[in-house]
Amino acid sequence: MEQTTDRINLNPSTLLAPVPVVLVSCCGRSGEIARANLITLAWAGVVCSEPPMVSISIRKSRFSHRQISETGEFVVNLVNEKLLWATDFCGVKSGRDIDKFAACQLTPVEAPGMELAPALAESPLSMSCKVRQVIELGSHDCFLAEVVAVTASSALMDAENKLRLDRTRLVAYNHGDYVAMGRLLGFYGFSVASPDVLARRMPRKPVQAERPTTPGGRSRKRKPAANKKTNDKGRL
Amino acid sequence: MEQTTDRINLNPSTLLAPVPVVLVSCCGRSGEIARANLITLAWAGVVCSEPPMVSISIRKSRFSHRQISETGEFVVNLVNEKLLWATDFCGVKSGRDIDKFAACQLTPVEAPGMELAPALAESPLSMSCKVRQVIELGSHDCFLAEVVAVTASSALMDAENKLRLDRTRLVAYNHGDYVAMGRLLGFYGFSVASPDVLARRMPRKPVQAERPTTPGGRSRKRKPAANKKTNDKGRL
């Protein structure tokens, strides 16, 4: 194996990027935790396709940790640029001290499949989640949860009733920064797609700069794989 | 709780977005799996800060699943636009059939802390990961792993030896699409930052459009929280 000299060693840390940033809504059942709350999380990811499952990780000390631990349910609300101020604010304040919905002038609405946890009306898309497993890892507990229902703004649906997440301005979290989504670079399967699929799906050519020009099993001159079926759903 | 009429119900699925897209490198120990391999994953996330841990989810049928299950180690390589063609290609081909490093003209290099798994020389940043737990969830197995070492391109470090991930063009995955990173919208804590911190850290004003203008616990006229410490590391 080769060795490189232009790389440096960094301390081990959570440098995965970009990651999502979401507003998770929840509500406890009893006592002081029995009220709707929001928590901002970037430690969230997809963990399974069938059943559809996501993970969220929360510090034990958080108010929302108590709420979600008690009820076993929460709603993951996607964040667009309109929600960014509230998203940051909900990430630095505690639901123990303030009503975050009121403080940010946001609206809790009924979430399908949830007993208590509300969805966030202002979010472009909300996933109702039921906790299946909690794993203690150290600073954070990891909640593995099944997505049992999804609601979305009707403005995200196109004429063919397909979900178009590109119609809202989602935000990514990148090592302490909130970053806007930029231009479309390609779609899942573009590297093996036929010219007609490429022409239909890409407003301009996908990134090809680093496509190998000498064959390592393939070359630019190969026939278009006209029968190649790619998975439009983008399941990786 | 209010009800909304402009929202529609969708089938439950994994609609978290944006999510990372990464090239995971691995290598088996014995027989046909004893060779360096790459797999493209979007089902990846941060799950813990201390110790630093990430999750990746892989279908049982994948060649890389056998390799990582055998050795308990893998390397998560971040993906920038230069790597996008290879990233898509490695997501639709199997390491059972081809040598993906050769096919994409990519370079495996030694990864600190790993016995067999290589890092990807062309990646801006690579995290060496040791599997701590495997959780069977259905279509995918979820590997919870500790980040034990990190290497990065020296071009990502600024004059103060701070990591600047904004110096490379990372790619997000958004419901089947690969999307470029756009403009900087804010930083963790911007909603409560003092004017001098805002001036220092933001080339232009962070998104403020949706900041509440009537007080729900706060107003525009409050004094700047000059002593407010925000966490520059962006730990949420």
Side-chain angles (χ1 to χ4, degrees):
Chain A
M1 222 181 312
E2 289 183 38
Q3 294 203 344
T4 49
T5 51
D6 65 338
R7 284 178 90 81
I8 53 146
N9 293 302
L10 300 176
N11 288 332
S13 73
T14 51
L15 291 166
L16 184 64
V19 288
V21 56
V22 292
L23 276 165
V24 169
S25 43
C26 51
C27 182
R29 195 187 307 277
S30 52
E32 57 156 8
I33 65 171
R35 51 194 169 88
N37 187 26
L38 289 163
I39 182 169
T40 301
L41 296 176
W43 294 178
V46 178
V47 290
C48 191
S49 297
E50 298 121 35
M53 291 183 74
V54 295
S55 76
I56 61 169
S57 287
I58 310 180
R59 289 179 190 268
K60 274 186 203 298
S61 58
R62 296 282 189 257
F63 192 64
S64 57
H65 186 289
R66 281 177 63 197
Q67 296 178 304
I68 294 171
S69 296
E70 189 193 43
T71 62
E73 57 170 44
F74 59 85
V75 178
V76 174
N77 304 283
L78 301 191
V79 164
N80 59 16
E81 293 182 24
K82 281 188 186 175
L83 283 168
L84 186 57
W85 191 92
T87 300
D88 186 63
F89 187 76
C90 290
V92 293
K93 297 286 180 180
S94 173
R96 209 172 269 120
D97 308 321
I98 58 165
D99 176 343
K100 295 189 192 176
F101 278 100
C104 298
Q105 297 179 15
L106 295 174
T107 319
V109 288
E110 279 184 24
M114 301 282 94
E115 193 192 342
L116 293 169
L120 174 61
E122 289 81 2
S123 168
L125 187 144
S126 303
M127 288 174 278
S128 301
C129 298
K130 288 199 174 172
V131 176
R132 300 299 181 213
Q133 231 171 311
V134 185
I135 301 165
E136 296 185 43
L137 294 172
S139 61
H140 290 65
D141 284 357
C142 179
F143 295 82
L144 300 172
E146 183 174 344
V147 180
V148 296
V150 176
T151 59
S153 161
S154 51
L156 293 186
M157 308 309 288
D158 68 13
E160 289 155 355
N161 213 30
K162 271 185 69 177
L163 177 68
R164 292 277 304 276
L165 278 182
D166 58 316
R167 288 191 174 178
T168 190
R169 294 170 167 277
L170 295 177
V171 178
Y173 190 67
N174 196 357
H175 192 50
D177 289 333
Y178 304 107
V179 185
M181 292 290 97
R183 69 185 181 92
L184 178 66
L185 298 170
F187 56 90
Y188 177 64
F190 82 81
S191 67
V192 295
S194 62
D196 56 311
V197 170
L198 282 178
R200 180 167 55 80
R201 293 201 48 185
M202 290 298 298
R204 46 177 162 167
K205 268 190 160 181
V207 176
Q208 298 254 354
E210 299 300 307
R211 176 176 173 164
T213 48
T214 56
R218 53 185 290 108
S219 84
R220 283 182 186 277
K221 283 177 207 143
R222 68 194 258 283
K223 279 190 209 148
N227 298 320
K228 179 72 190 171
K229 259 185 103 174
T230 62
N231 180 346
D232 269 9
K233 303 276 169 52
R235 299 229 168 101
L236 294 181
Chain B
M1 219 179 316
E2 288 185 39
Q3 294 202 345
T4 50
T5 51
D6 65 337
R7 285 178 89 81
I8 53 147
N9 293 302
L10 300 176
N11 288 331
S13 72
T14 51
L15 291 167
L16 183 65
V19 288
V21 55
V22 294
L23 276 165
V24 169
S25 42
C26 50
C27 182
R29 196 187 307 279
S30 52
E32 58 157 7
I33 64 171
R35 54 197 167 86
N37 187 26
L38 289 163
I39 183 169
T40 301
L41 296 176
W43 293 178
V46 178
V47 289
C48 191
S49 297
E50 299 120 32
M53 291 183 74
V54 294
S55 77
I56 61 170
S57 287
I58 311 180
R59 288 179 190 268
K60 274 186 202 296
S61 58
R62 297 281 189 257
F63 192 64
S64 55
H65 185 287
R66 282 177 60 197
Q67 295 178 304
I68 294 170
S69 296
E70 190 194 42
T71 63
E73 57 169 47
F74 59 85
V75 178
V76 173
N77 305 282
L78 300 191
V79 164
N80 58 16
E81 293 183 23
K82 281 187 186 175
L83 282 169
L84 186 57
W85 191 92
T87 300
D88 186 64
F89 187 76
C90 290
V92 292
K93 297 287 180 180
S94 173
R96 210 172 267 122
D97 308 321
I98 58 164
D99 175 342
K100 295 189 193 176
F101 278 100
C104 298
Q105 298 179 13
L106 295 174
T107 318
V109 288
E110 278 182 25
M114 300 282 95
E115 194 191 342
L116 293 168
L120 174 60
E122 289 81 2
S123 168
L125 187 145
S126 303
M127 288 174 277
S128 302
C129 299
K130 287 198 175 172
V131 177
R132 299 299 182 215
Q133 230 170 312
V134 185
I135 301 165
E136 297 185 43
L137 295 172
S139 61
H140 289 66
D141 284 357
C142 178
F143 296 82
L144 299 172
E146 184 175 345
V147 180
V148 295
V150 176
T151 60
S153 161
S154 51
L156 293 186
M157 307 309 287
D158 68 13
E160 289 155 357
N161 213 29
K162 272 185 67 175
L163 178 67
R164 292 278 303 275
L165 277 183
D166 57 316
R167 288 191 174 179
T168 189
R169 293 171 168 274
L170 295 178
V171 178
Y173 189 68
N174 195 356
H175 191 51
D177 289 332
Y178 304 107
V179 184
M181 291 290 96
R183 70 186 182 92
L184 178 66
L185 298 171
F187 55 90
Y188 177 64
F190 81 82
S191 66
V192 295
S194 62
D196 56 311
V197 170
L198 281 178
R200 180 168 52 81
R201 293 201 49 186
M202 290 298 298
R204 47 177 160 166
K205 269 190 161 180
V207 176
Q208 299 252 356
E210 299 299 306
R211 177 175 173 168
T213 48
T214 56
R218 52 187 289 108
S219 83
R220 283 181 185 276
K221 282 176 207 144
R222 66 195 260 283
K223 280 191 208 147
N227 298 320
K228 178 73 191 171
K229 257 185 105 175
T230 61
N231 180 347
D232 269 7
K233 301 279 170 47
R235 296 229 169 103
L236 295 181

